[in-house]
């Protein structure tokens, strides 16, 4: 099977590499020549524009781009890829974008006779490298079935979330909760420590009690509680505050369009916004505890 892969950044690069390892034929495109060269070294063929995927008659196009304007630009733009691809090409967009944009691109793709899935991921760059990503997939049953063996080369959990756009809906809902829960854990840890608790003892109690969650157990924001997490290495690595801000922006925008209140999500967005403005956008989002606790 011949796959065209667009967007070879921190996520797309290792994902494309795993497809090559699994035996797929890959043609690749990115605006960065360095990113393309890394994949060529692993066995991919470089193309000089996405529209060359059409000339090569690829069976599948996978995109892993920064945000909705990039996805719309590539697929729907004036000389967009959808107009050039042969009919029935399967398009899998793995970028994290809002559900409304995903449905907009899907509508045009379907009208032009293509098949399209939105398939955002969770698992971060480590999951992309290890091939253990979770894919949240929106689209028809038939297209999901066709895509499964491809996604399985890049991920461990592949979940069909329903119709097109639902993959993005699952992703924004999960990441909004993550952003909120991290602030909750930061607030609770800081309060307990201010009241005299030892941070490790407090985290142990939370993690065996009703406050337990991923933010307390796997990525506790309090420095020194866990080894090998961003909080214990100056909040470097991990999931940047600005990336969390992007996802909270998607959640609040999507909520506005369906008139759904996201009160805590909106407050979380504002807190991370203020934190980013102070110059902390590149720090792991667990660094939000700095608003509550001085080391
Ligand atoms: P990145 O910035 O590292 O990579 C994006 C790549 O897209 C870059 O190499 C860039 O040159 C390329 N690009 C931009 N416009 C292009 C175009 N028009 N044509 C071709 N290539 C183009 O970003 P990333 O961290 O790989 O994230 C990609 C997507 O995955 C985003 O939507 C992000 O929200 C999502 N995501 C990221 C993570 C993470 O931990 N980094 C986790 C889950 C989901």
């Amino acid at each position: 099977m011949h796959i065209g892969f667009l967007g070879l950044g921190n996520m797309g690069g290792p994902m494309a590499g795993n497809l090559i390892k699994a035996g797929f034929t890959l043609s690749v495109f990115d605006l960065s020549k360095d990113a393309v060269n890394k994949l060529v070294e692993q066995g991919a063929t470089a193309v000089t524009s996405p529209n060359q995927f059409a000339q090569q008659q690829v069976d599948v196009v996978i995109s892993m781009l920064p945000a909705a304007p990039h996805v719309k630009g590539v697929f729907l733009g004036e000389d967009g890829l959808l107009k050039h691809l042969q009919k029935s090409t399967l398009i899998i967009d793995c970028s994290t974008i809002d559900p409304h944009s995903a449905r907009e691109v899907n509508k045009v793709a379907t009208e032009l006779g293509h098949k399209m899935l939105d398939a955002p991921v969770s698992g971060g760059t480590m999951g992309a490298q290890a091939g253990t990503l979770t894919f949240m997939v929106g689209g028809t049953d038939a297209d999901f079935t066709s895509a499964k063996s491809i996604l399985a080369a890049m991920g461990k959990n592949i979940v069909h979330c329903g119709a097109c756009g639902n993959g993005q809906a699952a992703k924004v809902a999960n990441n909004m909760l993550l952003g909120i829960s991290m602030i909750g854990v930061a607030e609770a840890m800081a309060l307990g420590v201010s009241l005299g608790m030892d941070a490790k003892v407090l985290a142990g109690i939370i993690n065996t009690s009703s406050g337990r969650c991923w933010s307390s157990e796997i990525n506790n924001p309090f420095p020194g509680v866990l080894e090998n997490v961003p909080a214990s290495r100056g909040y470097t690595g991990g999931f940047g505050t600005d990336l969390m801000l992007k996802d909270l922006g998607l959640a609040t925008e999507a909520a506005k369009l369906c008139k759904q209140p996201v009160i805590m999500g909106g407050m979380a967005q504002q807190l991370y916004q203020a934190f980013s403005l102070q110059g902390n956008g590149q720090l792991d989002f667990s660094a939000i505890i700095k608003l509550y606790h001085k080391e």
Side-chain angles (χ1 to χ4, degrees):
M1 188 184 289
H2 190 169
I3 299 175
F5 203 114
L6 261 167
L8 306 165
N10 294 325
M11 296 294 290
M15 287 164 70
N18 282 331
L19 288 171
I20 295 172
K21 278 186 212 147
F24 292 100
T25 303
L26 240 69
S27 292
V28 294
F29 179 75
D30 194 290
L31 299 177
S32 151
K33 285 218 165 66
D34 284 350
V36 170
N37 289 341
K38 272 190 208 154
L39 266 297
V40 169
E41 280 164 21
Q42 294 168 55
T45 303
V47 297
T48 51
S49 94
N51 291 344
Q52 282 188 4
F53 291 150
Q55 287 156 23
Q56 294 186 334
Q57 305 203 320
V58 297
D59 307 294
V60 178
V61 171
I62 300 179
S63 47
M64 192 51 165
L65 297 166
H70 307 84
V71 175
K72 287 189 195 174
V74 164
F75 289 110
L76 304 180
E78 219 165 276
D79 194 31
L81 186 52
L82 290 184
K83 288 184 199 145
H84 295 275
L85 289 171
Q86 59 177 344
K87 276 200 186 351
S88 295
T89 305
L90 174 64
I91 298 152
I92 308 174
D93 180 37
C94 298
S95 326
T96 301
I97 65 173
D98 62 284
H100 294 85
S101 295
R103 288 175 185 142
E104 190 184 330
V105 181
N106 177 283
K107 186 168 178 280
V108 180
T110 309
E111 282 165 5
L112 291 171
H114 306 305
K115 306 171 206 166
M116 182 151 193
L117 296 168
D118 51 302
V121 304
S122 80
T125 51
M126 305 244 290
Q129 275 154 18
T132 55
L133 293 169
T134 291
F135 284 90
M136 293 155 264
V137 188
T140 66
D141 288 344
D143 295 345
F144 176 71
T145 305
S146 325
K148 238 180 150 179
S149 62
I150 303 167
L151 299 180
M154 301 180 282
K156 206 169 59 172
N157 302 310
I158 298 146
V159 185
H160 191 197
C161 302
C164 165
N166 282 12
Q168 300 293 356
K171 169 85 184 172
V172 297
N174 177 70
N175 278 28
M176 184 180 80
L177 176 58
L178 175 63
I180 295 168
S181 74
M182 182 56 82
I183 292 169
V185 171
E187 202 166 291
M189 288 295 301
L191 174 65
V193 169
S194 284
L195 292 172
M197 280 294 300
D198 174 81
K200 274 192 182 174
V201 175
L202 176 60
I205 290 167
I206 290 173
N207 290 333
T208 49
S209 305
S210 45
R212 176 183 171 191
C213 62
W214 187 91
S215 299
S216 67
E217 196 175 22
I218 310 292
N219 191 19
N220 195 292
F222 205 94
V225 165
L226 295 174
E227 286 173 23
N228 299 323
V229 295
S232 296
R233 48 169 191 260
Y235 300 98
T236 55
F239 188 58
T241 295
D242 282 347
L243 284 177
M244 173 51 80
L245 253 181
K246 174 199 164 189
D247 288 358
L248 285 167
L250 293 178
T252 52
E253 282 304 308
K256 203 191 303 173
L257 289 171
C258 67
K259 297 194 166 60
Q260 177 63 38
V262 283
I263 299 155
M264 302 303 290
M267 284 171 71
Q269 183 188 20
Q270 292 304 312
L271 275 173
Y272 289 110
Q273 184 85 58
F275 190 56
S276 177
L277 193 66
Q278 291 169 2
N280 300 309
Q282 301 307 310
L283 296 182
D284 181 70
F285 74 117
S286 63
I288 196 78
I289 197 168
K290 286 173 184 277
L291 294 182
Y292 295 97
H293 171 78
K294 215 169 174 166
E295 269 183 75

